[in-house]
Amino acid sequence: QVQLVESGGGSVQPGGSLTLSCRASGFTLDDYEIGWFRQAPGKEREGVSSISRADDTTYYRDSVKGRFTISRDNAKNTVYLQMSNLRPEDTAVYYCAANQFIGPNFPVLWHIVDLYDYWGQGTQVTVSS
């Protein structure tokens, strides 16, 4: 059974840090394109970051560049999202998602929600003073 489980969310003050984890079971994460998405109340789900299957190239939305880092630990079958210098606008439910092969246009398409087949249940991140 394919399953993704996120953890690591919580409440932090602006400027704080959190590291989210996405652990896979039933498949090997290293064989998949992995994305982190988030959804704030009343807003559409949006792509935050992704890591490619082919060569672990990473992608980020502009607003998190320099603050967030995505990485894999193949031994633990886990993908991480390290978040620093958090802002109130980062508040959302964060989801990880996987797709075995999005294709050569992955660098352009990585942020599209509908391209991912498997999703975790989400973890809440709240940034507030």
Side-chain angles (χ1 to χ4, degrees):
Q1 180 181 359
V2 172
Q3 193 173 14
L4 293 168
V5 179
E6 301 97 336
S7 61
S11 295
V12 296
Q13 293 186 339
S17 299
L18 284 172
T19 297
L20 306 183
S21 300
C22 172
R23 184 175 178 277
S25 59
F27 68 102
T28 303
L29 268 181
D30 194 32
D31 293 336
Y32 284 71
E33 326 275 22
I34 305 299
W36 280 99
F37 292 78
R38 66 187 181 188
Q39 188 165 19
K43 294 188 176 181
E44 292 188 354
R45 194 168 297 189
E46 63 184 19
V48 175
S49 180
S50 71
I51 186 165
S52 73
R53 182 183 91 159
D55 56 9
D56 282 359
T57 300
T58 57
Y59 304 92
Y60 301 92
R61 68 182 297 108
D62 286 346
S63 63
V64 307
K65 285 179 180 177
R67 302 188 297 122
F68 290 11
T69 303
I70 189 171
S71 62
R72 294 182 194 261
D73 184 334
N74 293 332
K76 296 182 178 179
N77 211 27
T78 299
V79 172
Y80 301 96
L81 185 68
Q82 296 174 277
M83 306 185 296
S84 62
N85 193 18
L86 283 161
R87 304 167 181 170
E89 54 264 38
D90 295 319
T91 295
V93 178
Y94 283 69
Y95 301 88
C96 67
N99 187 299
Q100 191 160 24
F101 185 65
I102 290 178
N105 292 324
F106 183 69
V108 178
L109 302 176
W110 67 267
H111 62 284
I112 298 178
V113 171
D114 291 344
L115 293 180
Y116 291 81
D117 293 330
Y118 306 111
W119 290 83
Q121 82 290 349
T123 185
Q124 176 71 47
V125 171
T126 302
V127 184
S128 174
S129 56

